[in-house]
């Protein structure tokens, strides 16, 4: 009798696990499918693209698409530019967001609620609402008329890296509100006793931050850095808006079809071929961040789970 | 020494009126100065944000509001000049422009249909990922991958590709469409109008399933962390009382994760609104970047933003009524 029940339970458990795994396999495939599709298209020779019997595995395997896309995107140069910009921006963002999040979480000051509300406002109001004005502001950049006094005209900062760095350094860049919120959430949960003990032992404000708070916050800071780096890497919106002519990978990828047309003129490449090349370009853009993700995958997920987000 | 005596006096002789007032003053003075010091340090800490907020958010917001009421022309000493034209830009958006109303309604509909679907899907996915099965870590990694990969320019290209793709090579959702439309015919042929809204909702989820799965990464992780923070002993006692899994889900899991529903809801709505493949967003950006109609672009952006804030405000108010806080 007991044996029968045990067997029944075992069968039920086995079946649910099996169904769950099939479901999970399907969902994983669904998520990965566009990427796999792009990879297979990027390895096809041009004639394979028109062959309707070929679905996934290329008949004429070639890496020619990669060398074309590599040339069209000016990959080596734009990779270096993108890397340095993304690096600088994410380091600045993490530092400024950490400091601001720490201040909001651990210090009481007048109008604290107001500034926190402004932070939430910054998260909620889409930056696209005021992006045109922001662009004009950076095009005619001036602080209290100082530059006009010195040089006779305002500075045009669009096209340089300065606007993006300024936004990053002042917690107003891409998704900065999210990072500040995460840091605030994290620092809020550290018991006050630790801080008080540090004060009694003679730690100053900065010493407390650097030797008591920061070591524990390193995991969160590094995951915020990863997020920031990856999102900056693929961001096309702010970079087109504020640093127009810069040689960045996302901008290169966005314009790859038109570059291909002018590269191959007078022959006009077919739409399918353009798509294949842009799929190849997408793979080239994604390869670095796929590697980053595979190496640091746990960090991405942990940061969000560790700072149990509560309102 | 003197202070210690004073404290003693205040504690033991609370009726010694005047003296105790003086003591209170003396005791208060020190904490006040510390508090002020901490206030100054706190302001120093958040000063980057204050600076950024005033310069790069408030100032552009004010400019863009002013621009939406005027005709902006580039050039001149300040780089651009504005002529006040009243609500011309707004009337143009609502009454003259052939696309604006349609796009606005479309994107609102998109948010109102897809955001609940994303929340429901991510909750289900989180519950499933919380169970033990072989390869769980791998599956979790893949579920979270779209957050990293389909961001920025890649998302824009994805939609562009499906618009341009003449061949079936890059098309993925070809067969889905016919299946759901077939199902719609069969189901709605036999049903009356009563259930058609729900059927349409479900079929829409199936049609946009890829979009929903891809957009649900962060929400799934947030729900997952909420599920893992639930005390297992609550489930144990429910087991002893004889609860079924279904009851446990609605009586324990749902109330415990309900604060996260609010967080995820806000995140999802904002995320949907500013997606780079949103047609209205493209129109707004083109008006500013290509045709240089800054005033008109700002007016459209403000209408869009106000619509979004209204949706967020109303829905957050409604959801916060049913959210349950454990502590």
């Amino acid at each position: 009798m007991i044996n029968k029940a045990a067997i029944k339970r075992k069968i039920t458990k086995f079946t649910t696990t099996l169904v769950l795994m099939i479901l999970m396999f399907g969902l994983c495939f669904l998520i990965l499918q566009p990427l796999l599709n792009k990879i297979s298209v990027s390895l096809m020779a041009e004639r394979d693209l028109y062959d309707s019997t070929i679905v996934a595995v290329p008949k004429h395997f070639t890496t020619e698409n990669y060398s074309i896309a590599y040339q069209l995107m000016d990959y080596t140069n734009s990779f270096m530019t993108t890397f340095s910009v993304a690096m600088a921006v994410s380091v600045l963002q993490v530092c400024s967001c950490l400091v601001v999040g720490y201040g909001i979480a651990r210090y009481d000051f007048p109008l604290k609620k107001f500034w926190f509300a402004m932070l939430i406002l910054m998260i909620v109001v889409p930056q696209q609402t005021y992006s045109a004005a922001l662009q004009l502001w950076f095009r005619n950049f001036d602080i209290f008329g100082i530059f006009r006094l010195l040089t006779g005209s305002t500075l045009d900062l669009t096209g340089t890296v300065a606007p993006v760095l300024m936004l990053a350094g002042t917690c107003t860049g891409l998704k900065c509100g999210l990072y500040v919120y995460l840091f605030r959430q994290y620092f809020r949960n550290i018991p006050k006793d630790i801080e008080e003990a540090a004060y009694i032992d003679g730690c100053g404000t900065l010493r407390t931050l650097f030797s008591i708070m920061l070591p524990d916050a390193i995991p969160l800071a590094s995951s915020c850095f990863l997020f920031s780096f990856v999102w900056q890497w693929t961001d096309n919106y702010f970079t087109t808006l504020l640093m127009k002519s810069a040689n960045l990978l996302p901008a290169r990828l966005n314009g790859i079809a038109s570059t291909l047309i002018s590269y191959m003129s007078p022959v006009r490449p077919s739409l399918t071929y353009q798509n294949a090349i842009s799929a190849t370009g997408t793979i080239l853009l994604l390869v670095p961040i796929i590697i980053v993700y595979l190496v640091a995958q746990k960090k991405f997920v942990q940061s969000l789970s560790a700072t149990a987000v509560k309102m | 020494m003197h202070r210690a005596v004073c404290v003693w006096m205040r504690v033991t002789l609370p009726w010694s009126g005047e003296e105790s007032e003086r003591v209170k003053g003396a005791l208060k003075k020190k904490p006040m100065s510390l508090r002020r010091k901490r206030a100054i340090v706190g302001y120093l800490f958040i000063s980057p944000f204050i600076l950024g907020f005033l310069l790069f958010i408030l100032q552009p917001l004010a400019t863009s509001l002013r621009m939406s009421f005027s005709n902006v022309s580039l050039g001149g000493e300040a780089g651009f000049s504005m002529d006040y034209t009243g609500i011309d830009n707004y009337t143009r958006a609502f009454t003259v422009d052939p696309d604006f109303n349609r796009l606005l309604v479309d994107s609102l509909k998109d948010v109102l249909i897809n955001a609940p679907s994303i929340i429901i899907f991510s909750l289900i996915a989180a519950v499933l990922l919380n169970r033990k099965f072989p390869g769980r870590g791998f599956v979790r990694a893949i579920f979270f991958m779209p957050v990293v990969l389909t961001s920025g320019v890649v998302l824009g290209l994805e939609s562009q590709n499906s618009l341009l793709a003449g061949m079936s090579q890059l098309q993925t959702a070809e067969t889905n469409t016919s299946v759901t439309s077939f199902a719609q015919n069969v189901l709605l042929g036999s049903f009356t109008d009563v259930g058609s809204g729900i059927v349409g909702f479900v079929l829409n989820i199936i049609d946009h399933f890829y979009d929903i799965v891809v957009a649900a990464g962060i929400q799934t992780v947030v729900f997952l962390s909420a599920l893992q923070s639930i005390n297992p002993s609550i489930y144990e006692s429910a087991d002893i009382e004889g609860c079924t899994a279904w009851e446990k889900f609605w009586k324990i899991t749902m109330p415990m994760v309900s604060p996260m529903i609010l967080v995820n809801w806000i995140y999802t709505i904002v995320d949907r609104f500013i997606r780079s493949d949103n047609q209205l967003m493209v129109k707004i950006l083109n008006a500013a970047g290509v045709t240089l109609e800054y005033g008109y672009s700002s007016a459209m952006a403000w209408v869009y933003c106000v619509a979004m804030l209204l949706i967020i405000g109303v829905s957050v108010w409604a959801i916060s009524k049913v959210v349950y806080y454990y502590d």
Side-chain angles (χ1 to χ4, degrees):
Chain A
M1 190 65 189
I2 295 161
N3 218 357
K4 222 177 183 179
I7 290 172
K8 197 180 165 193
R9 209 178 312 133
K10 227 173 195 174
I11 290 175
T12 326
K13 204 182 163 200
F14 177 75
T15 324
T16 39
T17 314
L18 189 71
V19 170
L20 192 61
M21 282 184 73
I22 293 172
L23 192 66
M24 285 301 151
F25 176 78
L27 285 173
C28 286
F29 183 74
L30 185 77
I31 294 171
L32 288 180
Q33 199 260 353
L35 191 65
L36 298 175
N37 204 335
K38 283 203 176 63
I39 292 176
S40 79
V41 165
S42 71
L43 292 171
M44 285 177 190
E46 198 183 345
R47 57 195 150 156
D48 283 13
L49 296 171
Y50 310 111
D51 191 340
S52 57
T53 59
I54 295 172
V55 180
V57 185
K59 215 178 253 174
H60 305 90
F61 183 86
T62 173
T63 52
E64 193 196 351
N65 291 339
Y66 281 96
S67 59
I68 291 176
Y70 192 94
Q71 267 180 38
L72 292 180
M73 286 166 84
D74 188 12
Y75 195 77
T76 325
N77 286 329
S78 51
F79 180 92
M80 292 316 287
T81 326
T82 316
F83 183 80
S84 41
V85 168
M87 206 65 178
V89 165
S90 40
V91 166
L92 270 177
Q93 273 185 352
V94 169
C95 291
S96 62
C97 292
L98 188 142
V99 168
V100 172
Y102 180 71
I104 287 188
R106 311 278 329 176
Y107 284 89
D108 270 323
F109 42 83
L111 293 179
K112 182 174 162 172
K113 285 229 168 80
F114 168 77
W115 288 114
F116 187 65
M118 289 304 110
L119 183 75
I120 299 295
L121 184 83
M122 183 178 85
I123 297 177
V124 170
V125 171
Q127 275 161 319
Q128 281 85 343
T129 314
Y130 54 85
S131 57
L134 194 65
Q135 192 196 13
L136 283 180
W137 165 244
F138 277 116
R139 186 180 284 172
N140 309 294
F141 189 76
D142 208 349
I143 299 176
F144 310 127
I146 295 171
F147 291 114
R148 190 178 300 166
L149 205 69
L150 290 178
T151 58
S153 67
T154 50
L155 278 175
D156 183 3
L157 288 181
T158 53
T160 67
V161 76
V164 184
L165 291 184
M166 279 179 181
L167 290 181
T170 54
C171 285
T172 40
L174 190 67
K175 308 226 183 190
C176 272
L178 179 69
Y179 309 135
V180 175
Y181 190 77
L182 285 176
F183 277 120
R184 173 202 177 246
Q185 224 53 33
Y186 175 79
F187 284 124
R188 227 163 59 127
N189 291 334
I190 293 179
K192 207 152 182 104
D193 310 354
I194 296 178
E195 204 182 334
E196 274 164 9
Y199 283 137
I200 288 170
D201 284 349
C203 277
T205 314
L206 287 178
R207 183 89 192 273
T208 314
L209 172 61
F210 283 113
S211 354
I212 310 290
M213 298 296 185
L214 211 54
D216 283 342
I218 292 255
L220 177 64
S222 54
S223 3
C224 278
F225 171 79
L226 287 173
F227 269 117
S228 167
F229 183 83
V230 161
W231 278 332
Q232 184 62 40
W233 185 271
T234 52
D235 171 56
N236 193 32
Y237 179 72
F238 272 97
T239 45
T240 1
L241 191 75
L242 300 177
M243 34 193 305
K244 267 175 203 152
S245 51
N247 189 9
L248 293 173
L249 279 176
R252 284 277 169 181
L253 177 62
N254 221 13
I256 199 168
S258 48
T259 328
L260 181 72
I261 290 170
S262 57
Y263 172 75
M264 287 187 52
S265 66
V267 183
R268 195 181 163 79
S270 73
L271 213 52
T272 319
Y273 188 60
Q274 287 176 31
N275 278 338
I277 290 295
S278 94
T280 317
T282 312
I283 300 287
L284 279 178
L285 173 87
L286 288 180
V287 161
I289 61 173
I290 289 177
I291 293 170
V292 169
Y293 181 70
L294 290 182
V295 171
Q297 175 267 124
K298 282 230 166 75
K299 281 233 168 303
F300 282 98
V301 182
Q302 271 167 358
S303 67
L304 285 170
S305 340
T307 51
V309 199
K310 274 196 177 154
M311 290 192 91
Chain B
M1 184 64 196
H2 174 67
R3 221 176 131 218
V5 173
C6 288
V7 170
W8 173 82
M9 275 177 67
R10 198 178 63 134
V11 173
T12 52
L13 312 166
W15 60 84
S16 60
E18 200 191 325
E19 183 68 13
S20 136
E21 283 306 308
R22 216 165 60 81
V23 173
K24 264 186 205 158
L27 284 177
K28 241 182 197 168
K29 208 174 170 190
K30 260 219 154 124
M32 268 301 276
S33 73
L34 178 65
R35 191 185 295 164
R36 176 172 288 168
K37 200 182 143 203
R38 283 182 67 86
I40 292 170
V41 174
Y43 260 105
L44 279 180
F45 272 129
I46 70 161
S47 58
F49 173 68
I50 294 177
L51 191 70
F53 181 77
L54 293 179
L55 283 182
F56 305 130
I57 292 186
L58 202 62
Q59 201 273 347
L61 265 181
T63 315
S64 107
L65 190 61
R66 248 178 76 206
M67 280 188 343
S68 74
F69 288 108
S70 36
N71 187 16
V72 182
S73 44
L74 292 175
E77 198 179 324
F80 62 97
S81 54
M82 294 185 244
D83 313 309
Y84 181 76
T85 53
I87 56 166
D88 272 11
N89 285 321
Y90 290 93
T91 43
R92 180 179 160 199
F94 281 118
T95 56
V96 181
D97 197 306
D99 296 327
F100 181 76
N101 288 331
R102 184 176 54 81
L103 289 177
L104 183 66
V105 171
D106 274 358
S107 54
L108 293 186
K109 243 175 29 194
D110 170 82
V111 168
L112 287 179
I113 290 173
N114 279 327
S117 327
I118 290 169
I119 299 284
I120 293 168
F121 173 79
S122 57
L123 184 58
I124 293 172
V127 169
L128 291 180
L129 288 176
N130 201 27
R131 296 174 71 104
K132 279 204 175 67
F133 59 89
R136 184 170 69 163
F138 178 72
V139 174
R140 281 186 188 175
I142 291 186
F143 262 74
F144 197 63
M145 210 161 97
V147 176
V148 173
L149 293 190
T150 51
S151 56
V153 66
V154 186
L155 191 66
L157 276 182
E158 203 86 58
S159 62
Q160 229 174 3
N161 266 352
S162 56
L163 283 178
L164 289 175
M167 309 280 291
S168 59
Q169 294 284 2
L170 294 162
Q171 270 285 29
T172 51
E174 271 286 296
T175 46
N176 266 348
T177 323
S178 58
V179 170
T180 47
S181 62
F182 176 71
Q184 199 150 19
N185 284 337
V186 173
L187 289 170
L188 296 186
S190 56
F191 275 97
T192 48
D193 279 346
V194 184
S196 67
I198 300 162
V199 173
F201 180 74
V202 173
L203 290 178
N204 184 68
I205 292 180
I206 298 168
D207 266 346
H208 297 278
F209 198 59
Y210 174 74
D211 287 338
I212 289 168
V213 172
V214 163
I218 286 200
Q219 290 89 326
T220 308
V221 175
V222 170
F223 274 136
L224 196 57
S225 70
L227 288 176
Q228 283 168 347
S229 70
I230 300 176
N231 193 342
S233 56
I234 301 179
Y235 286 108
E236 268 167 39
S237 56
D239 278 335
I240 292 168
E241 301 286 339
C243 278
T244 60
W246 181 250
E247 283 166 342
K248 275 190 283 182
F249 178 77
W250 287 106
K251 307 270 166 157
I252 299 172
T253 313
M254 273 305 268
M256 295 298 271
V257 301
S258 61
M260 298 303 153
I261 293 182
L262 192 62
V263 175
N264 277 341
W265 176 257
I266 297 174
Y267 181 84
T268 313
I269 289 191
V270 174
D271 195 44
R272 290 308 291 187
F273 264 107
I274 61 173
R275 273 162 69 95
S276 51
D277 61 344
N278 184 321
Q279 288 303 307
L280 188 59
M281 218 76 222
V282 172
K283 188 178 164 62
I284 291 171
L285 292 181
N286 277 346
V290 180
T291 51
L292 299 178
E293 297 167 297
Y294 284 102
Y296 185 45
S297 168
S298 303
M300 289 194 292
W302 271 94
V303 171
Y304 193 51
C305 179
V306 168
M308 185 189 100
L309 290 179
L310 271 180
I311 287 186
I312 290 184
V314 170
S315 58
V316 164
W317 176 79
I319 293 175
S320 61
K321 290 267 153 192
V322 295
V323 162
Y324 168 83
Y325 285 100
Y326 181 62
D327 38 33

